[in-house]
Amino acid sequence: MDAFSIPMEHDMPEGNRIISYKTAIQEATDQAMMHDSRVFVIGLDADDPSGMFGSLKNLSCQERVIGTPISENAVCGIAMGAALAGQRPICIHLRVDFLMSAMDIIVNYIAKWRYMFGGRVHVPLVIRAVIGRGWGCAAQHAQALHGLFAHIPGLQVVMPAFPYAAKGLLLSAIQDDNPVIIIEHRRLYDQKGHVPSEMFGLPLGKGYLMRKGRSLSIVAASLAVIDTLSAVDSNDIDADVIDLRSIAPLDMEIIRSSVKKTGKLLVVDYAYPFCGIASEICARVAETSFSDLRQPLARITFPNCSVPASGILEKAYYPSAKTIAKKALEMIK
Amino acid sequence: MNTPHRLPDSTACLWMLKKMILIRRFSEYLIPIYPTDVLETPLHLHIGQEAVPVGLCVHLTDSDTISFSHRSHGPALAKGINLQSLMAELYGKITGCSRSRGGSMHLVEPELGMHGSSAIVGGGIALGAGMALAAKLSNADHISVSYFGDGATNSGIFWETLNFSALKEIPLLFVCEHNHWANNMPAHHHMYGDPLLVSKVFMESFQIDGTDVLDVYKGMAQAVGYVKEMKKPAFALCKTLRWMTHLGVSYDETHCPENMRQKSCPIQKLQTIMMSENMIDASGIQHIIAEVDQDILDADTFAKNSPFPSPDSLMEDA
């Protein structure tokens, strides 16, 4: 069977079908492969029993799971060529850092093809990559580089925070006719939540209001959403919490309307600060919602240095629910 | 040509002669236009190298896919790109094959297996492999060709793709059009060893005289046939000569002077043999040239009369 149709959802439904983030990814992948013979998985260790930290375990169509040599640039190019020829590849990478070897293909090819050929070709390609953290992952295994990809026109970038979004965004990405980079956080893989068993999609480019409040708008993505919710819930902070879900396109509407209500904005982006998503959001809010602001914009990001290995330094490096709570409480004082 | 060939039939010979003349005359037609700046796009002409794409594409079907790079006109015309949409693309017109977004280096015709040519050397090799993987996954009968120059063998992605293709047994033909130059660097400076020595370890490999279309015809018949039948990759190294400078419309008089060009001209070589075999006479050749020239003039008129894209279309397909 070729192609599948999925209902587009938005709200996070309540329910008691509790599964993990990695299982949600596995389920979406398996369902997509069962329903669409063009879908295949390719990448380093894709066919290893470890199944990409469990997110590719026990897939029904093993013949369309292709393990590859450590050749990220060629593998991304091969996945793209297959997409041009009508397949729907999911190109997987155990770390975001490894994608740097494929930046030529991602930036000069995948992102450009549709525009450069006047819409005569398109690249229905999904790239999945994982951000690492902890246990001395260090500078080359723990980078969050979504800002780099989002900078390039032609790339869609999503960062699911919950099992529900992990499934819905992956299915939307597979179904989309244009390239989507899905950045997952290793720390989220064992997070659990309700996920409907049937296939569904979430719109690319739409954020979601996780908590409603009046005093402050907090915008975050991926793991930073979990920490933000923990900060807000355990300190009774009266804040809007926006889960971006998608970095590019960026849902500015949900941010603007929240800022209009609260007059205060804190952006939490677990990534380098310089020229990052937090900067972009602050710039756009300053451009278009300046008169709604009642105090300076604030950002919480990584410090402007690489990730260290030593546990002591790691602890100093990463922001946490505590960092977020402290800043949020300061802002609503 | 070292050994006498059994000649392909006259239909194939005429097809190849006409295609080579088309590439030659089209390229020569652009030479006086280019300095007038009506074509605002970097030209990399295929003059002198016509035998390689033509001797290859005579064996390909429309559904066989091919990836190629900045020196794009030769392979695109050999694979059958519409001349008018090619010319219009050079003029930056909306009727161009890439709707004016690509220019000379970025040609496309998905219906003929051309899914877009690249101006970054190397990457197209992997795209060709991806199309071969797609053919394998969908149990299709067609093959894919990664068409690149000797300069591309300098890149990591070439070796990555060679290794991947051999491991995964995909129906991919690597065609290295070895014109002895990587940009402005001669082969003996940019390439330590003959790529064929390595490719042989990975897959069936063929050495072909890229200045002789009959040798290309024969070699590619074997190479294409091997990939189609065995559903495994193969490698064809076609040594040829770059008559032109890397970029633009000047002949490289220093490295490829007149006498060298005459001796190595693939069109002359084929014409001589076809005439001696009574497949064509001088007036027949003149007839082909006149027909091709008329097509080029028509394409030029079409391109000139076509509209430019509207500035409002800037963000379309962004």
Side-chain angles (χ1 to χ4, degrees):
Chain A
M1 182 178 161
D2 275 357
F4 51 84
S5 66
I6 42 176
M8 274 294 164
E9 305 292 343
H10 187 58
D11 290 339
M12 267 177 84
E14 301 281 326
N16 56 7
R17 188 173 176 271
I18 306 299
I19 62 172
S20 67
Y21 189 93
K22 66 187 175 202
T23 305
I25 296 170
Q26 190 276 349
E27 184 172 279
T29 309
D30 202 50
Q31 288 176 335
M33 291 177 84
M34 297 284 277
H35 283 84
D36 187 341
S37 60
R38 303 168 303 172
V39 178
F40 72 95
V41 181
I42 184 168
L44 173 66
D45 285 350
D47 57 350
D48 185 78
S50 60
M52 197 187 179
F53 313 123
S55 67
L56 294 175
K57 271 198 167 162
N58 305 319
L59 292 174
S60 311
C61 313
Q62 275 303 318
E63 71 282 5
R64 278 187 282 132
V65 179
I66 302 169
T68 70
I70 303 178
S71 304
E72 280 81 5
N73 205 27
V75 169
C76 281
I78 287 162
M80 176 189 170
L84 284 168
Q87 302 292 305
R88 299 252 155 180
I90 303 171
C91 185
I92 62 115
H93 303 268
L94 302 174
R95 284 290 182 267
V96 174
D97 316 66
F98 305 167
L99 283 174
M100 297 305 99
S101 300
M103 280 308 252
D104 174 37
I105 288 292
I106 294 172
V107 175
N108 288 324
Y109 291 73
I110 292 169
K112 303 286 185 286
W113 237 236
R114 176 172 170 220
Y115 187 87
M116 194 162 74
F117 296 103
R120 294 201 65 205
V121 286
H122 59 100
V123 183
L125 168 64
V126 177
I127 293 177
R128 282 180 55 208
V130 181
I131 302 172
R133 171 162 167 179
W135 199 247
C137 265
Q140 296 180 333
H141 273 60
Q143 292 178 92
L145 299 166
H146 42 279
L148 269 184
F149 301 111
H151 181 68
I152 309 298
L155 296 178
Q156 302 173 94
V157 183
V158 301
M159 299 182 82
F162 299 96
Y164 174 73
K167 179 170 180 180
L169 289 172
L170 176 53
L171 285 171
S172 289
I174 293 168
Q175 207 186 36
D176 200 85
D177 284 338
N178 297 299
V180 181
I181 299 179
I182 303 179
I183 298 184
E184 300 151 7
H185 202 292
R186 183 69 183 88
R187 285 267 167 115
L188 296 172
Y189 266 50
D190 292 320
Q191 290 269 329
K192 289 188 172 165
H194 169 67
V195 179
S197 60
E198 63 271 19
M199 296 170 86
F200 65 93
L202 292 176
L204 305 173
K206 287 280 176 209
Y208 184 68
L209 194 58
M210 290 296 301
R211 293 283 187 279
K212 273 187 193 164
R214 288 158 301 171
S215 309
L216 172 66
S217 303
I218 309 181
V219 175
S222 189
L223 182 64
V225 178
I226 308 296
D227 286 352
T228 300
L229 290 175
S230 154
V232 165
D233 292 347
S234 55
N235 294 278
D236 286 325
I237 296 169
D238 179 29
D240 267 1
V241 176
I242 296 166
D243 173 3
L244 283 174
R245 286 185 180 169
S246 172
I247 300 296
L250 188 59
D251 186 354
M252 279 311 295
E253 204 33 60
I254 195 172
I255 299 172
R256 282 193 195 108
S257 63
S258 174
V259 168
K260 198 172 183 66
K261 178 176 66 174
T262 65
K264 298 177 183 180
L265 176 66
L266 169 62
V267 186
V268 187
D269 184 27
Y270 285 180
Y272 303 134
F274 194 82
C275 294
I277 294 303
S279 321
E280 177 67 21
I281 291 170
C282 288
R284 292 218 220 163
V285 167
E287 279 172 345
T288 58
S289 306
F290 189 71
S291 57
D292 294 326
L293 291 171
R294 290 191 280 119
Q295 66 172 229
L297 301 155
R299 295 184 288 162
I300 291 175
T301 65
F302 292 168
N304 199 15
C305 68
S306 297
V307 183
S310 163
I312 294 286
L313 291 175
E314 261 186 351
K315 202 157 176 287
Y317 186 89
Y318 286 113
S320 64
K322 219 182 247 180
T323 327
I324 299 164
K326 186 165 171 269
K327 186 72 193 173
L329 289 167
E330 253 172 54
M331 290 179 78
I332 56 177
K333 204 158 50 184
Chain B
M1 211 167 37
N2 301 324
T3 49
H5 296 298
R6 212 176 61 214
L7 270 183
D9 64 29
S10 73
T11 315
C13 284
L14 280 167
W15 189 91
M16 292 194 289
L17 181 63
K18 190 167 177 181
K19 278 283 184 193
M20 288 200 295
I21 289 174
L22 172 64
I23 296 167
R24 176 73 57 90
R25 301 292 286 185
F26 174 78
S27 309
E28 288 175 345
Y29 186 82
L30 302 176
I31 291 175
I33 304 177
Y34 194 57
T36 67
D37 288 347
V38 291
L39 314 177
E40 287 185 45
T41 184
L43 292 185
H44 304 80
L45 299 181
H46 222 93
I47 297 177
Q49 301 174 210
E50 299 91 345
V52 185
V54 170
L56 164 71
C57 289
V58 68
H59 299 293
L60 300 181
T61 64
D62 287 354
S63 53
D64 291 325
T65 53
I66 183 168
S67 70
F68 47 92
S69 62
H70 57 284
R71 202 171 296 282
S72 58
H73 307 170
L77 285 168
K79 191 74 169 59
I81 200 167
N82 179 287
L83 188 58
Q84 300 194 340
S85 74
L86 167 58
M87 189 72 94
E89 190 60 33
L90 303 184
Y91 274 90
K93 299 297 183 75
I94 191 69
T95 51
C97 61
S98 306
R99 302 182 63 241
S100 81
R101 297 281 183 72
S104 172
M105 301 186 286
H106 302 299
L107 307 180
V108 70
E109 193 47 75
E111 286 77 29
L112 297 175
M114 293 181 271
H115 294 285
S117 61
S118 169
I120 307 282
V121 168
I125 301 172
L127 300 197
M131 295 169 206
L133 179 64
K136 178 174 177 161
L137 288 172
S138 57
N139 294 314
D141 286 331
H142 63 261
I143 69 161
S144 183
V145 177
S146 287
Y147 193 98
F148 53 94
D150 45 314
T153 66
N154 298 171
S155 69
I157 202 164
F158 164 70
W159 300 99
E160 291 182 6
T161 309
L162 198 70
N163 182 47
F164 179 95
S165 306
L167 284 169
K168 303 297 176 186
E169 299 194 341
I170 53 174
L172 175 67
L173 178 59
F174 291 79
V175 175
C176 179
E177 187 190 70
H178 184 329
N179 69 10
H180 296 85
W181 291 96
N183 266 40
N184 297 319
M185 179 160 279
H188 62 277
H189 283 172
H190 77 66
M191 186 187 267
Y192 183 76
D194 189 332
L196 212 58
L197 292 174
V198 181
S199 72
K200 275 178 184 162
V201 179
F202 286 78
M203 59 191 66
E204 195 74 14
S205 296
F206 302 85
Q207 172 124 33
I208 291 168
D209 177 357
T211 68
D212 177 358
V213 78
L214 293 177
D215 201 53
V216 181
Y217 181 93
K218 190 180 80 171
M220 290 301 180
Q222 290 176 329
V224 170
Y226 175 87
V227 175
K228 283 208 174 179
E229 194 184 325
M230 304 303 291
K231 304 209 180 283
K232 282 184 186 177
F235 191 101
L237 178 68
C238 309
K239 288 194 176 170
T240 181
L241 291 173
R242 192 178 80 190
W243 292 16
M244 316 301 289
T245 53
H246 164 62
L247 172 67
V249 293
S250 304
Y251 288 89
D252 186 347
E253 299 292 354
T254 315
H255 302 100
C256 196
E258 175 85 37
N259 65 334
M260 203 190 261
R261 301 201 291 265
Q262 266 180 4
K263 251 197 288 185
S264 67
C265 178
I267 297 176
Q268 282 301 331
K269 287 183 190 179
L270 180 61
Q271 281 178 183
T272 307
I273 289 178
M274 284 177 72
M275 286 169 85
S276 73
E277 296 289 324
N278 294 318
M279 283 184 181
I280 200 164
D281 58 15
S283 75
I285 292 168
Q286 282 314 307
H287 180 74
I288 290 176
I289 292 172
E291 210 174 80
V292 161
D293 283 354
Q294 189 57 51
D295 288 346
I296 294 167
L297 278 174
D298 291 347
D300 194 53
T301 306
F302 170 82
K304 280 181 182 143
N305 291 340
S306 290
F308 283 106
S310 157
D312 298 337
S313 69
L314 183 67
M315 294 301 290
E316 279 174 18
D317 299 306

